Amino acid sequence: MTQTIGMIGAGLVGKAVARLAVSAGYHVVVSNTRGPESLAELARELGPLARAGTVEEAIAAGDIVILSLPLASFANLPANAFAGKVVLDQTNYYPGMGGFHRADLDSGELTSSELMQRQLSGARLVKGLHNLSWLHIASNARPEGSPERTTLPIAGDDNAAKGAVTRFIETIGYDVIDAGALAESWRIEPGTPIYFWRYAPHVPEGVSGDEAKRIYQQPGRPVSKDEARTLIADATRPSPIGGTLEGMPQVHIDLFLEQASPETVKG
């Protein structure tokens, strides 16, 4: 039976996942806070397997509901609508962005996905597809059996939900490794060895801006399952906790500003 993916958030990351999903044969309902009308062009681009809907429609339709939005917006989600749903959490904690800070995240009392699970208490939440850029979500995907296929980590407390998310991520182009429970998901958050940098290609110093952009949009070197296990096991909790824009390469920021919509840039 064909499954449906409910997408909440249609920024660069959400669009990249939606494109992979429809290419793999999934139905997709895309949504955002501005309403279906703002996504009509995207739905047409994605083709007959996709349609635009409200956030509530995306949740109701989704066999898996993907959160591809800023963590700071967690409290605005219709929490009761997620009861029983498998939720793939792509959010990351970037303290200070949009003025968003939380003491329980800064202290390590909670991981960001534990916070999201607490908010969506009836959901079956899995952290994943959060640790590489929209560019590399698209460029690193490979069919099963390809020697260039790379490995992504997930974390969660519900084994059946992790199985569903694993099958989805495998189908759209990646191998998957289980990094443990949500309490251990700090091992795959910003500032850890398996977050972001390992999936991006190296851009040599001294190249022109256009050449840097060309190189940066290429696939990174594949991560094997064994390497992913080692990166996760060897992780130490970052201090301070959370990501920073200063930690991103300038070419990444330049491409983001070029490709993001004005609404995304404004947050």
Side-chain angles (χ1 to χ4, degrees), residues 218-235:
Q218 303 307 306
R221 179 171 57 85
V223 180
S224 70
K225 287 188 175 182
D226 285 344
E227 182 182 359
R229 288 190 187 95
T230 299
L231 292 172
I232 293 165
D234 290 350

Side-chain angles (χ1 to χ4, degrees), residues 30-96:
V30 291
S31 70
N32 63 16
T33 58
R34 296 184 296 280
E37 298 80 9
S38 68
L39 297 170
E41 183 177 346
L42 174 61
R44 285 193 294 271
E45 175 198 327
L46 291 171
L49 294 180
R51 66 179 175 90
T54 65
V55 168
E56 290 78 7
E57 287 170 341
I59 297 168
D63 296 291
I64 297 174
V65 181
I66 300 181
L67 305 180
S68 186
L69 71 175
L71 177 64
S73 62
F74 78 100
N76 298 323
L77 292 169
N80 292 338
F82 288 89
K85 288 289 182 176
V86 175
V87 174
L88 175 52
D89 178 20
Q90 289 192 279
T91 66
N92 289 299
Y93 183 43
Y94 275 72

Side-chain angles (χ1 to χ4, degrees), residues 135-136 139 201 212-219 255 259:
L135 296 163
H136 303 115
S139 66
K213 292 174 185 177
R214 185 194 69 78
I215 294 170
Y216 188 71
Q217 294 178 81
Q218 303 307 306
L255 285 164
Q259 298 185 26

Side-chain angles (χ1 to χ4, degrees), residues 12 14 30 68 107 114 131 133 139 151-152 158 167 170 185 187 194 197 202 229 238 241 257:
L12 295 173
V30 291
S68 186
S107 67
E114 285 182 300
N131 64 317
S133 75
S139 66
T151 304
L152 299 179
D158 184 310
R167 289 187 291 274
E170 288 176 340
S185 62
R187 293 181 176 275
I194 204 166
W197 290 99
H202 172 68
R229 288 190 187 95
I241 289 171
L257 293 174

Side-chain angles (χ1 to χ4, degrees), residues 142-189:
R142 292 291 184 277
E144 188 173 5
S146 168
E148 296 181 340
R149 188 162 158 115
T150 198
T151 304
L152 299 179
I154 63 168
D157 297 336
D158 184 310
N159 286 332
K162 284 198 281 191
V165 167
T166 294
R167 289 187 291 274
F168 169 68
I169 296 175
E170 288 176 340
T171 301
I172 66 172
Y174 292 93
D175 289 336
V176 177
I177 189 74
D178 189 343
L182 292 179
E184 290 293 304
S185 62
W186 63 264
R187 293 181 176 275
I188 59 177
E189 287 184 341

Side-chain angles (χ1 to χ4, degrees), residues 13 16 130-138 174 196 199-200 216 252:
V13 171
H130 65 291
N131 64 317
L132 68 172
S133 75
W134 82 96
L135 296 163
H136 303 115
I137 286 174
Y174 292 93
F196 185 83
Y199 297 93
Y216 188 71
H252 177 92

